[in-house]
Amino acid sequence: MPTNLPPDFYEVEKRFRLAKSPAEKIACLEEMLSIIPKHKGTDHIRADYRRQISKLKTASKTQKGGSIHVSAFRIDQEGPGQVVVLGTTNVGKSSLVDKLTNATPEVASTPYTTWKPTPGMMLVDNVQIQLIDTPPLDREYLEPELVDLIRRADLILLVLDLQTYPDQQLETTVEILRQNRIIPSHLKDQTDEDQFVWYVPVIVLTNKCDDESMDEICEIFQELLEDEWPMISISAKTGRNLDKLKKAVFDSLKILRVYSKAPDEEPDFSQPVVMKNGATLEDFTKEIHKDFHEKLKFAKVWGSTAFDGQMVQRDYILQDGDVVELHI
Ligand SMILES: Nc1nc2c(ncn2[C@@H]2O[C@H](COP(=O)(O)OP(=O)(O)OP(=O)(O)O)[C@@H](O)[C@H]2O)c(=O)[nH]1
Ligand SMILES: [Mg+2]
């Protein structure tokens, strides 16, 4: 990447990295193309942006053309993972997604309200995590595409209504999942079937634990399960323990945040690059731009396992909160 780029280029580039839709991405790339100085040194970058624009345009045309059926159950991952909110009817799945994300799924006291999944983004500190509200799990019928969605998920939030036989709901839900060869990953050791099954991490949420008066029932329920399940009691209605839930989701996805900075500048802590635990500096350069990946000379890191400004190699394992300055 040329070093003499105007500051507004970096602003647009940041927006591009955060852009969700193809249209937004195309708009940012076109803006970057108009800002970037036109000379020999930038030829390959400009060509790269043009290629990306035409790819995105072709992809969106194919979708608009109507020749491809886009199912409501096919939800592209946004952010570092897909978290599926599951449970039997009326337990408060839609209420939870409504409370925690920018989505507004329908909530109603009557059963079987939700009939298609609705994704929304939940802000945890400075990271947007995708939650998906789903139709109720039912012994009678389970949409095959919902099964696929669950199998692909990075985490299941299994919602129970604490006020209506939560033990039966848990049993029903786990049985339905098992019938579809989906096993909570913490039960892996107790499972004989190790072929053709999908292990997905699960956190049980005992919902409708609106205030202290519900704590006793919740504790009894927890004891009943002998701490076998990762469990948090929450209230989608009053917001109880939702911060605890957000932290548990973040931890479960096993992710870390890295901040890039230019020499002699402060990092922007509102714009992390989110990576999987165990990611290296090499992986980080790929996220930023292929030029950094190919031409990296050295990098300086500020963070918990590096002393301030320490020079590190490509195999350096990044830590949550690291600030990285790349030099090419
Ligand atoms: N008291 C209390 N009621 C809640 C809470 N969360 C949801 N509800 C109520 O429970 C009912 C069902 O809520 P929904 O969010 O529609 O439940 P759902 O699980 O999405 O239901 P389906 O779409 O049918 O599967 C509504 O009347 C909500 O107001 C909660 O934390 N406390
Ligand atoms: Mg619903």
Side-chain angles (χ1 to χ4, degrees), residues 157-191:
L157 292 180
L158 201 167
V159 186
L160 306 176
D161 177 348
L162 188 63
Q163 302 181 4
T164 336
Y165 304 107
D167 47 340
Q168 286 176 19
Q169 292 163 35
L170 182 61
E171 203 183 305
T172 306
T173 311
V174 173
E175 197 191 313
I176 295 172
L177 291 178
R178 196 176 283 274
Q179 280 165 0
N180 288 283
R181 307 205 305 276
I182 300 163
I183 310 286
S185 45
H186 70 282
L187 300 180
K188 198 171 183 173
D189 294 345
Q190 303 164 25
T191 311

Side-chain angles (χ1 to χ4, degrees), residues 89-90 92-95 105-108 112-115 133-136:
T89 189
N90 253 357
K93 301 178 294 299
S94 302
S95 304
E106 190 184 349
V107 170
Y112 296 93
T113 306
T114 304
W115 57 274
D133 181 29
T134 59

Side-chain angles (χ1 to χ4, degrees), residues 15 36 45 53 64 98 117 120 125 138 144 173 186 188 205 215 248 252 257 265 270 273 275 281 285 297 301 307 324:
R15 268 196 279 127
I36 201 163
I45 294 185
I53 291 171
K64 272 187 212 144
D98 178 60
D125 287 340
D138 191 274
T173 311
H186 70 282
K188 198 171 183 173
L205 304 177
D215 283 350
S252 172
R257 291 157 295 183
E265 279 181 27
S270 66
V273 176
M275 312 201 60
L281 179 67
T285 57
K297 288 207 183 91
V301 173
F307 59 79
V324 178

Side-chain angles (χ1 to χ4, degrees), residues 127-160:
V127 179
Q128 295 277 2
I129 296 177
Q130 188 179 45
L131 293 193
I132 303 177
D133 181 29
T134 59
L137 287 181
D138 191 274
R139 276 184 203 277
E140 300 302 313
Y141 178 70
L142 198 58
E143 186 83 45
E145 288 188 292
L146 177 57
V147 176
D148 286 340
L149 184 71
I150 305 169
R151 286 175 178 168
R152 286 195 304 269
D154 296 289
L155 173 67
I156 293 171
L157 292 180
L158 201 167
V159 186
L160 306 176

Side-chain angles (χ1 to χ4, degrees), residues 37-290:
K38 293 179 185 60
H39 56 70
K40 219 155 175 41
T42 61
D43 272 354
H44 62 297
I45 294 185
R46 284 182 291 126
D48 183 14
Y49 291 162
R50 280 202 210 95
R51 262 194 304 275
Q52 290 192 53
I53 291 171
S54 65
K55 250 193 200 166
L56 285 163
K57 283 189 173 164
T58 315
S60 41
K61 255 187 226 145
T62 323
Q63 280 181 9
K64 272 187 212 144
S67 52
I68 295 174
H69 163 69
V70 182
S71 157
F73 289 82
R74 277 258 152 212
I75 296 170
D76 287 339
Q77 181 177 317
E78 283 181 29
Q82 272 196 337
V83 180
V84 173
V85 180
L86 280 189
T88 51
T89 189
N90 253 357
V91 293
K93 301 178 294 299
S94 302
S95 304
L96 187 65
V97 171
D98 178 60
K99 187 89 175 178
L100 288 174
T101 75
N102 56 346
T104 51
E106 190 184 349
V107 170
S109 55
T110 46
Y112 296 93
T113 306
T114 304
W115 57 274
K116 70 173 177 60
T118 304
M121 300 306 286
M122 163 175 83
L123 190 63
V124 184
D125 287 340
N126 49 4
V127 179
Q128 295 277 2
I129 296 177
Q130 188 179 45
L131 293 193
I132 303 177
D133 181 29
T134 59
L137 287 181
D138 191 274
R139 276 184 203 277
E140 300 302 313
Y141 178 70
L142 198 58
E143 186 83 45
E145 288 188 292
L146 177 57
V147 176
D148 286 340
L149 184 71
I150 305 169
R151 286 175 178 168
R152 286 195 304 269
D154 296 289
L155 173 67
I156 293 171
L157 292 180
L158 201 167
V159 186
L160 306 176
D161 177 348
L162 188 63
Q163 302 181 4
T164 336
Y165 304 107
D167 47 340
Q168 286 176 19
Q169 292 163 35
L170 182 61
E171 203 183 305
T172 306
T173 311
V174 173
E175 197 191 313
I176 295 172
L177 291 178
R178 196 176 283 274
Q179 280 165 0
N180 288 283
R181 307 205 305 276
I182 300 163
I183 310 286
S185 45
H186 70 282
L187 300 180
K188 198 171 183 173
D189 294 345
Q190 303 164 25
T191 311
D192 307 330
E193 343 155 47
D194 51 27
Q195 280 188 334
F196 310 120
V197 291
W198 283 259
Y199 294 105
V200 186
V202 173
I203 300 175
V204 173
L205 304 177
T206 44
N207 190 32
K208 309 198 185 181
C209 188
D210 295 342
D211 51 43
E212 288 80 16
S213 67
M214 299 297 297
D215 283 350
E216 200 180 334
I217 312 174
C218 197
E219 277 162 30
I220 294 170
F221 181 59
Q222 222 145 356
E223 275 169 30
L224 202 80
L225 293 172
E226 296 167 334
D227 299 325
E228 195 190 335
W229 292 83
M231 191 182 289
I232 306 172
S233 55
I234 60 155
S235 169
K237 186 175 171 189
T238 64
R240 251 183 132 210
N241 285 339
L242 293 189
D243 282 341
K244 204 168 158 187
L245 163 61
K246 286 182 175 193
K247 187 176 180 321
V249 170
F250 185 95
D251 291 345
S252 172
L253 291 179
K254 300 188 171 36
I255 50 178
L256 55 89
R257 291 157 295 183
V258 183
Y259 306 89
S260 75
K261 87 173 202 57
D264 304 322
E265 279 181 27
E266 288 301 309
D268 180 353
F269 286 109
S270 66
Q271 307 284 354
V273 176
V274 181
M275 312 201 60
K276 282 279 171 198
N277 281 354
T280 59
L281 179 67
E282 168 101 355
D283 302 323
F284 180 69
T285 57
K286 286 184 206 159
E287 285 290 315
I288 298 295
H289 192 275
K290 72 174 180 0

